[in-house]
Amino acid sequence: MIEIKLRWNTGLRAERQAFRWLLFLAVLLIYATNGQGTVSLSASYYNSDGGLSEEVSVDNADFQGSVVIMPYETLPDFPSSITLQGAGHSNGAYSRSYFSHSVSASSGGEFNEIEADMSTKNASFGWTSEGKISSDYEDGQLISLNPKGEIVSGVIDAHYANSFSSLEQDIYATNKYYAFNAEITSDLVYFEVPTLHPIGGSEPSQLISQLTATNHGKEVVAFQKLQEDPLIRTVVPTEWYQEVKLGPQESQILQYVEIRSIPGYLTYPTSELTESITAGMTLEATYENSGQPLFEKRFIPTSEFSNYPLTVGVMKNEYDDVYMVNRLNMSVRWGEQTWEA
Amino acid sequence: MIRKSILIIVILQIICPIALCGVFANCFMGGYNLNTNDDKRMAINFSNHDIIAGVDMRANLETSLQSRFEGIPPVPIADLKASQIVGDGVYYSRLTSEVVHKVYTMGQDPVVKTVDVDTYIIMPKKFDAIQAMTMHFSDEDSSQAELTAKFTYDNEEYEFTVTSEIDETNELEIFLAPYCPLLEGLDLDYTDSFPDSISRDNLHYEGGLTIEAIKV
């Protein structure tokens, strides 16, 4: 159900009251909620300074938004001539949920558009949206989407984009807590996994991630996986980190997995898959238009180590003041400048 | 009157090869031997357990046992050897063994001697090594046991040996791990890395694996 309401702003100062006949203040309250099926909203807001548009679609998720439109940017209490904001979240983590949200802005001859969509199974998400038409910003506009999600055992497929960059995110998790947040503006697509910790229990855990970033004429695919046996997880904890920044001049992907034993235990490379931890990364880079690769697919560990992926076992050491760290890391940068190898 | 002794020499050689493609081996092997003469029996049994883990490694475990009655009057003698040889590509090598030697003399309580052996080498870089134990059991001269661990790491060879007379219950151990007391002062490098980087058309990639042992 989509509900649109109008309300007047009654907080005007005395000196402005004389001009109230000349002011037209419109406030639209937009509320979208879903019980069954998909609900969509499409709306545009404009004045003499510019315009904002958004399209929202949800399935098994709630969204609520509001917009304040002024005829022009004049009042200190309303620094933006158009202000748009909203927030949404999935309903229930143990089902399928979906949202898509695009926001576009035009002002002073500039047009920008951003979008985010996410489809989940057995995961939860939330997001906020913001849009402003104001001379306080470069190009007279600000638009942003901030999605976030978390998962323990499930699937997340997401897409984030602005006018020159896009990021696809595909996550599969089993018994592994995974949380992320993203920010999309007209200048930046940013993604980060700051938190990752094990879930206790007697079942193995697995986490598989693929990030596909496209901009500056190239498509970069970064893959990362981690499998843990519960029998050694308590003495060999792991860390996982991912960060993506897609900007107008330079873009970057960073990710690492660290397998670290606690003091008194030592890890060793092995092929034995029981009571072990396995991790690996790959990277592919191709030209966006032709699909031609820039170079051969990269693997971590490399062929110099001999095995892909890395599997480690653990043993109890006689000396309890030493531990072992196995770290797989990857960074890739690309854009308008050249870096030395 | 000269008693005729029953002289039994049993040479048991078991070679346990590990396939070149294997990267983890967990092998149990053992044996039991019994010698008898007119008024004595000697029994010796042993079990060896070896663990080898790494990448593209080569390994061999050899065991030999000779047991016999020798001399006049006959004296029970047993010599047991076990050695594990591991080639390049190993990150962890362990050999353990339990040996029980019993001599039964008619009208007397049996004399039992046990020897437990445990030696391991674990490093953040590949190494090759020989871990070997020898035991000599005899009623006449003292029974002796020796354990040796020799490994090559960063093109340098290191060797450690412990010996002991064999009493009723014995343990021989050599544990070689990063920052352990036996390796103190040797200034070994406990970090190994496998980096990779490439640049093409304004795209630069760096990645790799690092394995490091750290002391608290």
Side-chain angles (χ1 to χ4, degrees):
Chain A
M1 178 180 73
I2 302 172
E3 182 178 347
I4 301 176
K5 294 182 181 178
L6 298 174
R7 66 175 173 85
W8 287 99
N9 185 342
T10 59
L12 294 176
R13 296 180 184 176
E15 59 269 28
R16 299 192 209 113
Q17 290 183 3
F19 296 95
R20 63 185 175 182
W21 295 108
L22 302 179
L23 290 174
F24 176 69
L25 174 63
V27 175
L28 301 177
L29 178 64
I30 304 170
Y31 177 73
T33 184
N34 177 63
Q36 301 288 335
T38 302
V39 177
S40 299
L41 161 72
S42 178
S44 295
Y45 325 100
Y46 56 89
N47 61 14
S48 55
D49 290 331
L52 293 172
S53 298
E54 64 177 344
E55 292 187 14
V56 184
S57 182
V58 298
D59 186 354
N60 197 26
D62 289 345
F63 173 76
Q64 182 171 340
S66 66
V67 61
V68 177
I69 309 171
M70 300 295 289
Y72 46 84
E73 184 181 339
T74 58
L75 303 177
D77 290 344
F78 298 91
S80 304
S81 62
I82 306 177
T83 305
L84 176 155
Q85 54 190 19
H89 59 86
S90 56
N91 286 329
Y94 301 103
S95 56
R96 294 183 183 274
S97 301
Y98 168 82
F99 91 90
S100 72
H101 197 154
S102 67
V103 180
S104 62
S106 62
S107 62
E110 292 290 328
F111 176 81
N112 287 291
E113 186 173 16
I114 59 175
E115 60 185 26
D117 62 72
M118 193 176 301
S119 173
T120 66
K121 180 183 176 185
N122 294 339
S124 59
F125 60 75
W127 81 100
T128 60
S129 59
E130 186 178 25
K132 292 182 179 178
I133 299 296
S134 168
S135 58
D136 288 344
Y137 305 106
E138 189 175 354
D139 302 332
Q141 57 185 251
L142 169 74
I143 48 176
S144 73
L145 290 167
N146 294 81
K148 60 182 179 180
E150 56 182 31
I151 188 174
V152 173
S153 289
V155 178
I156 294 180
D157 295 315
H159 165 80
Y160 318 113
N162 58 20
S163 300
F164 56 85
S165 300
S166 73
L167 179 66
E168 304 279 341
Q169 173 196 4
D170 298 289
I171 305 294
Y172 171 81
T174 303
N175 300 318
K176 189 72 175 178
Y177 177 78
Y178 178 93
F180 65 90
N181 52 266
E183 179 182 12
I184 305 104
T185 69
S186 55
D187 291 330
L188 178 71
V189 173
Y190 178 79
F191 169 88
E192 183 185 40
V193 177
T195 304
L196 195 71
H197 56 81
I199 301 295
S202 59
E203 297 298 318
S205 65
Q206 186 178 62
L207 188 56
I208 298 174
S209 163
Q210 179 162 299
L211 300 171
T212 304
T214 306
N215 69 350
H216 303 296
K218 299 179 180 66
E219 179 179 277
V220 179
V221 180
F223 176 84
Q224 183 165 304
K225 73 172 184 179
L226 177 66
Q227 291 170 251
E228 300 167 297
D229 187 287
L231 293 176
I232 81 169
R233 211 159 41 200
T234 53
V235 296
V236 188
T238 56
E239 275 187 31
W240 170 297
Y241 180 78
Q242 288 175 296
E243 182 184 86
V244 179
K245 290 181 184 176
L246 306 181
Q249 299 298 322
E250 176 183 322
S251 296
Q252 177 177 269
I253 296 177
L254 299 174
Q255 57 183 28
Y256 73 75
V257 173
E258 189 171 275
I259 303 168
R260 174 188 295 239
S261 62
I262 62 176
Y265 291 82
L266 299 177
T267 59
Y268 54 87
T270 178
S271 68
E272 182 65 34
L273 296 181
T274 57
E275 297 186 35
S276 66
I277 293 176
T278 297
M281 295 182 186
T282 67
L283 183 99
E284 296 175 270
T286 57
Y287 290 101
E288 182 182 357
N289 292 335
S290 65
Q292 291 297 310
L294 275 74
F295 41 72
E296 276 190 11
K297 186 174 180 178
R298 320 310 289 186
F299 291 86
I300 301 173
T302 64
S303 58
E304 182 188 358
F305 173 77
S306 180
N307 273 10
Y308 174 86
L310 171 72
T311 299
V312 299
V314 67
M315 60 155 285
K316 179 73 176 70
N317 192 13
E318 284 297 309
Y319 314 102
D320 58 6
D321 58 351
V322 181
Y323 60 95
M324 206 81 93
V325 178
N326 304 268
R327 185 180 174 107
L328 299 83
N329 69 278
M330 166 195 298
S331 77
V332 56
R333 293 177 296 171
W334 72 102
E336 304 301 323
Q337 67 181 78
T338 303
W339 291 272
E340 294 296 323
Chain B
M1 183 169 97
I2 299 174
R3 287 185 174 174
K4 187 175 183 179
S5 299
I6 299 176
L7 179 65
I8 297 175
I9 299 176
V10 178
I11 300 174
L12 179 66
Q13 286 192 324
I14 300 172
I15 299 174
C16 180
I18 309 300
L20 284 176
C21 61
V23 294
F24 179 83
N26 192 356
C27 180
F28 288 89
M29 182 169 60
Y32 176 78
N33 223 33
L34 177 66
N35 302 78
T36 61
N37 74 348
D38 292 339
D39 58 1
K40 278 193 176 180
R41 281 190 308 151
M42 174 178 62
I44 181 167
N45 67 289
F46 69 92
S47 61
N48 290 341
H49 179 204
D50 72 306
I51 298 173
I52 307 156
V55 292
D56 297 334
M57 63 188 188
R58 302 179 304 277
N60 261 347
L61 176 63
E62 300 182 0
T63 302
S64 70
L65 170 62
Q66 296 187 26
S67 61
R68 61 201 179 274
F69 283 93
E70 197 171 86
I72 299 172
V75 172
I77 294 176
D79 288 291
L80 173 66
K81 295 180 182 179
S83 63
Q84 175 163 286
I85 303 169
V86 292
D88 188 39
V90 175
Y91 287 87
Y92 173 39
S93 177
R94 185 170 200 157
L95 175 65
T96 65
S97 186
E98 296 177 39
V99 182
V100 179
H101 180 265
K102 298 179 182 177
V103 176
Y104 303 86
T105 304
M106 193 174 298
Q108 299 179 17
D109 291 333
V111 177
V112 182
K113 295 179 180 177
T114 63
V115 184
D116 291 324
V117 172
D118 190 1
T119 174
Y120 67 72
I121 306 171
I122 180 166
M123 289 291 166
K125 287 185 176 181
K126 300 175 191 175
F127 61 87
D128 52 27
I130 300 175
Q131 296 156 291
M133 66 176 196
T134 58
M135 295 177 199
H136 174 76
F137 297 91
S138 170
D139 273 357
E140 287 291 308
D141 48 26
S142 61
S143 299
Q144 296 273 342
E146 180 179 278
L147 176 63
T148 299
K150 179 171 19 178
F151 76 111
T152 303
Y153 188 78
D154 268 347
N155 299 315
E156 293 286 338
E157 192 174 278
Y158 306 91
E159 182 172 346
F160 304 89
T161 301
V162 294
T163 59
S164 173
E165 288 192 13
I166 300 178
D167 300 318
E168 194 172 306
T169 306
N170 309 268
E171 288 183 354
L172 272 72
E173 298 172 341
I174 296 178
F175 301 135
L176 298 173
Y179 303 102
C180 71
L182 288 175
L183 300 180
E184 194 173 335
L186 295 178
D187 196 27
L188 299 186
D189 182 11
Y190 294 130
T191 301
D192 204 6
S193 60
F194 304 89
D196 182 28
S197 68
I198 190 168
S199 292
R200 286 286 189 277
D201 193 10
N202 290 356
L203 184 144
H204 178 61
Y205 162 81
E206 286 186 5
L209 166 66
T210 302
I211 302 174
E212 184 179 9
I214 300 174
K215 185 179 174 70
V216 175

